[in-house]
Amino acid sequence: MTNVYFHPEVARDIRESVVWYESQAKGLGGDFINELESAYAAIAELPGVWPQFGNGFRRYILTRFPFAVIYRQSKEKIYVVAVMHQSRKPGYWLNRIAE
């Protein structure tokens, strides 16, 4: 299994969404986190399976929430550059340079 690393701004992507989901229904933010953790495990297990998205990136689409995990794969690691809402601010993450 390949190690997963995160761009520093990913924490903010997630935090803002968790706060919003928790304001909608108690426990929904936790459900969002659980689905993200499952996504990271799936990506780490089979990083090349998810479709290409842009130049050198891949996209894992969450099932329950309208988000996608955008990442870049190398031989040594997986680098997540965004947890992107699929309807808001497309491409906002493009200025995040993957290592």
Side-chain angles (χ1 to χ4, degrees):
M1 199 168 2
T2 309
N3 289 330
V4 179
Y5 298 89
F6 299 87
H7 186 281
E9 293 295 315
V10 170
R12 185 176 59 165
D13 294 346
I14 295 168
R15 186 174 42 255
E16 290 172 356
S17 298
V18 167
V19 167
W20 188 85
Y21 279 121
E22 276 300 312
S23 74
Q24 302 305 300
K26 184 174 171 67
L28 196 55
D31 292 348
F32 179 66
I33 292 291
N34 289 338
E35 188 165 351
L36 278 175
E37 289 174 354
S38 294
Y40 301 147
I43 291 166
E45 186 72 29
L46 298 166
V49 169
W50 315 109
Q52 298 249 341
F53 185 72
N55 188 18
F57 294 95
R58 292 188 178 273
R59 176 175 65 171
Y60 179 103
I61 299 174
L62 300 185
T63 304
R64 186 172 172 199
F65 298 92
F67 283 81
V69 177
I70 310 300
Y71 66 97
R72 180 173 276 170
Q73 171 191 1
S74 71
K75 290 181 182 179
E76 304 84 34
K77 66 182 175 180
I78 295 163
Y79 190 69
V80 175
V81 294
V83 173
M84 174 189 86
H85 190 286
Q86 296 193 85
S87 298
R88 284 186 255 140
K89 301 181 204 172
Y92 77 93
W93 55 272
L94 288 171
N95 65 345
R96 298 179 182 177
I97 310 254
E99 294 178 347

